[in-house]
Amino acid sequence: MRVGGPRLAALLTYYSVDWKGVLPGRTTVLCLGRESFYKDIKELRKRTVLNFPTVTAGFTRFQSEWVPLCSQEQTFYQNKHPMDKSVALKSRQYAQFLIWLVSRKVQVHAIMSANLDYWQDAGFKDVCASENIPFVVLSREHPIVPEVCDIVSKRYADARYRFKGTKIAVAGQSSKDVICKRSNVCSEHDVIVTGLPRFDAWFDVDTTRPKRNRSNITLLTFTRGYFADETFKEVLDIFCRSASTLSSESVRFLVKTKDCEDTLAVKMIIKERGLYNVEVDHARDLFDILPESKLVLGYNSLSLVEAVMANAEVVVPAWGQCRSSGDNVMYSEDNANVANVLSFAKNPVEMYDFIDLAIKGSFRGVDQEELDRFVGRYIYRPARGSSCEVSKLVNEVIVANKVADRRAISQ
């Protein structure tokens, strides 16, 4: 890579492009792939008439060969650790040649990234600006917890970060507030609340099965980054002991982990405590697990919104390191709508009792209007239903860009 330089890096990256669903004659958005962003791309491909070829490999690793480590810091790369001219030139060459390679197959009308402040995107933003290609962000990050919102906002402010792309599409109002009202990232008009296409997948999932006929009691892990590691161990202990005393042939106790590392961590805790009667799985999708869940246990995760969308009963631990109100919680019991939809276990005994009630088929009744209001608090869903309306935003910026180009030529 050091010998071949940016052009070889771009060529190798080009070989990683996923061309699924790409058809000639369509508007084409080149996507810079990221974990979880792929879920949005999948729905956009399924529900729109745009092309979304996607870079799947090499994007970070290759650029790391010429970008110094101190400049590989998200957000801060722009001002606190600015890249010198030779480094910036290599990133621009990499981006420019990759775009040219893709354009030999289909014209690139826009580029889409998964966040507004990745250092890996700097060269692409520069090329887009010079070649009049819209650079659009569909932000995979969605800060909701007040304390987290403040941390993100402070990060932007400390870095003196300015967005150099075209538009930013976000999942909900809290993300827009962080970007616009609490920082100087860009103009308020450049941030559009669209929702996340990945949640459109729920339109294709049957969530109508009555809770009493479902088989899963599901625990969603909160082992890393939730600041509640010790309480998670208590919840896991209750979960495993409930499986020992309350399980039957019709009920499965499933711990849904985030990834392989999370699975290993949970299995280690279970082994230390001598509890082996629960399943631990990171491979199965929430779209499969949640519609089969009577009850879902979890904390400070957007996945609990998906559990509500799947019409599962949801219980949140509210003791020890877990809280039911305050600036560091996503779901505050102080809010009437939240309290009407979610249940809060104030101690281990209450958690055990909630599991027992679910197995016996006793569930609280919540009307659909309350459920819809709850989902809307955390994830914006357009009146027409699909968050793939983000494609409308992409088309608008492409059209606006073409109009601007024609005006420039005429002048």
Side-chain angles (χ1 to χ4, degrees):
M1 194 56 56
R2 294 187 184 100
V3 173
R7 289 174 66 87
L8 176 59
L11 180 62
L12 294 174
T13 302
Y14 173 75
Y15 290 135
S16 84
V17 173
D18 174 8
W19 298 98
K20 185 175 182 180
V22 172
L23 296 173
R26 285 183 170 185
T27 297
T28 298
V29 182
L30 176 61
C31 297
L32 306 177
R34 292 281 178 172
E35 186 182 356
S36 78
F37 187 36
Y38 295 120
K39 296 179 182 179
D40 292 310
I41 295 168
K42 178 181 178 181
E43 296 305 313
L44 286 166
R45 286 172 170 171
K46 183 177 182 180
R47 302 174 192 277
T48 74
V49 292
L50 277 64
N51 287 331
F52 293 95
T54 304
V55 175
T56 64
F59 182 44
T60 296
R61 184 170 63 254
F62 294 152
Q63 293 192 76
S64 295
E65 287 299 321
W66 59 78
V67 177
L69 192 60
C70 66
S71 295
Q72 295 178 30
E73 185 176 0
Q74 187 174 331
T75 314
F76 286 96
Y77 75 86
Q78 186 171 272
N79 291 312
K80 191 173 179 181
H81 304 297
M83 301 177 190
D84 64 40
K85 290 183 179 180
S86 64
V87 170
L89 176 61
K90 288 181 179 178
S91 288
R92 285 196 297 272
Q93 290 173 337
Y94 169 75
Q96 190 167 34
F97 193 54
L98 178 58
I99 294 169
W100 178 80
L101 288 168
V102 173
S103 298
R104 293 190 308 170
K105 186 168 184 176
V106 287
Q107 181 183 352
V108 175
H109 297 93
I111 289 180
M112 183 178 286
S113 175
N115 211 343
L116 64 153
D117 59 348
Y118 288 143
W119 65 268
Q120 298 94 325
D121 292 351
F124 288 91
K125 289 173 184 170
D126 287 346
V127 172
C128 285
S130 63
E131 299 191 5
N132 293 316
I133 301 172
F135 186 97
V136 180
V137 169
L138 176 57
S139 181
R140 66 174 186 164
E141 294 189 9
H142 181 38
I144 297 173
V145 177
E147 190 173 294
V148 174
C149 290
D150 290 339
I151 291 171
V152 176
S153 178
K154 185 177 186 302
R155 182 179 180 87
Y156 291 145
D158 289 347
R160 303 186 302 281
Y161 184 79
R162 289 291 295 177
F163 176 63
K164 296 181 179 179
T166 309
K167 295 287 182 181
I168 304 171
V170 295
Q173 188 62 41
S174 65
S175 283
K176 180 166 184 173
D177 290 344
V178 166
I179 295 169
C180 300
K181 295 182 179 179
R182 307 184 191 182
S183 65
N184 224 10
V185 173
C186 62
S187 165
E188 185 174 350
H189 302 294
D190 292 333
V191 185
I192 314 298
V193 179
T194 62
L196 292 176
R198 75 191 72 162
F199 291 109
D200 286 0
W202 282 105
F203 292 134
D204 302 330
V205 178
D206 183 4
T207 61
T208 60
R209 190 174 185 181
K211 296 185 187 73
R212 64 179 178 275
N213 296 336
R214 300 182 182 190
S215 58
N216 293 341
I217 305 293
T218 303
L219 170 60
L220 304 177
T221 58
F222 47 98
T223 50
R224 299 194 306 266
Y226 295 84
F227 310 105
D229 300 55
E230 293 306 313
T231 304
F232 171 74
K233 292 177 182 178
E234 290 185 51
V235 172
L236 180 60
D237 189 67
I238 297 161
F239 190 77
C240 293
R241 296 188 186 284
S242 298
S244 297
T245 58
L246 302 174
S247 63
S248 65
E249 291 183 1
S250 61
V251 178
R252 307 169 56 230
F253 280 75
L254 173 65
V255 182
K256 175 63 174 76
T257 51
K258 300 182 186 307
D259 50 35
C260 185
E261 184 180 347
D262 197 23
T263 295
L264 292 173
V266 170
K267 285 185 175 180
M268 183 64 70
I269 297 170
I270 290 174
K271 182 179 180 181
E272 289 173 353
R273 298 176 181 228
L275 303 165
Y276 301 98
N277 50 350
V278 298
E279 295 180 46
V280 183
D281 186 10
H282 63 268
R284 289 185 62 199
D285 202 287
L286 289 177
F287 298 114
D288 296 325
I289 293 171
L290 296 181
E292 289 299 318
S293 297
K294 298 174 181 286
L295 177 68
V296 175
L297 314 176
Y299 180 69
N300 263 18
S301 168
L302 266 179
S303 296
L304 296 186
V305 176
E306 294 185 83
V308 171
M309 293 166 67
N311 291 315
E313 191 91 348
V314 178
V315 175
V316 178
W319 77 85
Q321 295 169 313
C322 297
R323 299 282 186 268
S324 61
S325 62
D327 288 342
N328 60 352
V329 301
M330 186 178 295
Y331 307 104
S332 175
E333 194 177 14
D334 294 339
N335 181 276
N337 173 244
V338 173
N340 284 337
V341 174
L342 306 183
S343 298
F344 294 85
K346 300 303 177 63
N347 54 61
V349 173
E350 286 192 5
M351 179 68 76
Y352 181 91
D353 289 343
F354 277 122
I355 296 172
D356 186 27
L357 287 171
I359 291 174
K360 291 176 178 176
S362 177
F363 306 100
R364 66 190 301 178
V366 184
D367 65 65
Q368 191 60 48
E369 187 176 333
E370 278 285 282
L371 295 174
D372 292 341
R373 188 180 301 117
F374 174 85
V375 172
R377 286 179 58 83
Y378 300 98
I379 303 169
Y380 173 76
R381 307 198 85 186
R384 287 171 53 191
S386 175
S387 293
C388 286
E389 286 187 8
V390 70
S391 64
K392 180 181 177 182
L393 171 63
V394 173
N395 278 320
E396 286 175 353
V397 298
I398 290 171
V399 170
N401 200 58
K402 289 179 180 177
V403 171
D405 278 350
R406 286 197 293 268
R407 287 175 179 170
I409 292 170
S410 65
Q411 291 174 354

